[in-house]
Amino acid sequence: MASDTRPRSPIRPWHVQVVVLIVVVVAVFFNVKVVSIADATAASPDAFDPASFAVENYETEIVPQIEKEAVPLATLLTDLAGGADESDFGNSSGTASSYSFPVTFSGVAGTPAGGVVPIAVDGVPADVTVQLQVGPALNGTALRDVTGTISFDQFTNQLEYQKVGTELNNQVKATVLDSLDVASLAGKTVTVTGAYTRVNPALVSVVPVKLEVSP
């Protein structure tokens, strides 16, 4: 068989460049480590930790101020119904017109349902529903907003600000509600100190920071 005597195409510089580029791309591909956003954030030395913020501020700042400034609920509702300025008793988050109030009250618990317990409180108007939030989900950001010392400006974005409210509620679950026998509350007298956000004047939904139960 006759050998192929056709001249071979010379290797041109751009051929070499293409080969080198391919080698580099393959090497980079096998050395890339995919990192999630959560992992990247956690790895940053300056990453904000909402849970740590809540732990550091709940017992030292928020609970003492609520206990110090708590207004008897019946008195508060009477004053508000009479036209008192909400800002005299509570604080706003600065991003909404609703106010959060530190309150205290005693009353007889009803039947727990849907994560809340209705409470019959003497002196509260009949058209106002009082309920104690017992979880597992605690709604709202009353604990974050009630002191007036935590503002959006302290955080990088709305997500951090919202997570702080959630983590403060988690502190309540861990320190107040974890050992509470919710199913046995009906008919018992409960004494509550906590906070609520007044969105609907006919509903008082309190997140407790202190809770005592008696027969």
Side-chain angles (χ1 to χ4, degrees), residues 55-128:
V55 169
E56 292 168 4
N57 289 274
Y58 178 76
E59 291 284 1
T60 60
E61 302 290 338
I62 294 174
V63 172
Q65 185 170 336
I66 290 176
E67 292 182 332
K68 179 181 178 181
E69 299 179 357
V71 179
L73 180 59
T75 301
L76 173 65
L77 296 180
T78 298
D79 289 343
L80 293 177
D85 193 327
E86 290 183 322
S87 63
D88 290 339
F89 302 96
N91 285 294
S92 171
S93 66
T95 60
S97 58
S98 57
Y99 281 78
S100 297
F101 301 91
V103 294
T104 185
F105 60 88
S106 292
V108 178
T111 302
V116 299
V117 179
I119 310 292
V121 182
D122 288 342
V124 169
D127 60 348
V128 175

Side-chain angles (χ1 to χ4, degrees), residues 32 82 90 94:
V32 168

Side-chain angles (χ1 to χ4, degrees), residues 11-183:
I11 298 177
R12 303 183 183 278
W14 67 268
H15 291 164
V16 176
Q17 293 173 357
V18 169
V19 172
V20 171
L21 180 60
I22 292 173
V23 171
V24 170
V25 170
V26 171
V28 169
F29 176 79
F30 282 103
N31 284 279
V32 168
K33 179 181 180 181
V34 178
V35 180
S36 69
I37 294 176
D39 289 341
T41 301
S44 171
D46 298 324
F48 175 72
D49 183 2
S52 295
F53 181 93
V55 169
E56 292 168 4
N57 289 274
Y58 178 76
E59 291 284 1
T60 60
E61 302 290 338
I62 294 174
V63 172
Q65 185 170 336
I66 290 176
E67 292 182 332
K68 179 181 178 181
E69 299 179 357
V71 179
L73 180 59
T75 301
L76 173 65
L77 296 180
T78 298
D79 289 343
L80 293 177
D85 193 327
E86 290 183 322
S87 63
D88 290 339
F89 302 96
N91 285 294
S92 171
S93 66
T95 60
S97 58
S98 57
Y99 281 78
S100 297
F101 301 91
V103 294
T104 185
F105 60 88
S106 292
V108 178
T111 302
V116 299
V117 179
I119 310 292
V121 182
D122 288 342
V124 169
D127 60 348
V128 175
T129 298
V130 180
Q131 61 186 27
L132 175 68
Q133 294 198 41
V134 293
L138 300 182
N139 299 317
T141 57
L143 295 184
R144 184 195 68 189
D145 302 332
V146 70
T147 64
T149 60
I150 300 175
S151 68
F152 176 76
D153 294 339
Q154 294 174 246
F155 308 97
T156 303
N157 51 49
Q158 180 65 35
L159 182 60
E160 287 185 357
Y161 190 44
Q162 188 65 35
K163 283 185 176 180
V164 164
T166 300
E167 291 298 339
L168 287 171
N169 288 347
N170 287 340
Q171 285 297 300
V172 170
K173 290 193 287 187
T175 62
V176 179
L177 300 176
D178 185 57
S179 59
L180 180 65
D181 184 2
V182 174

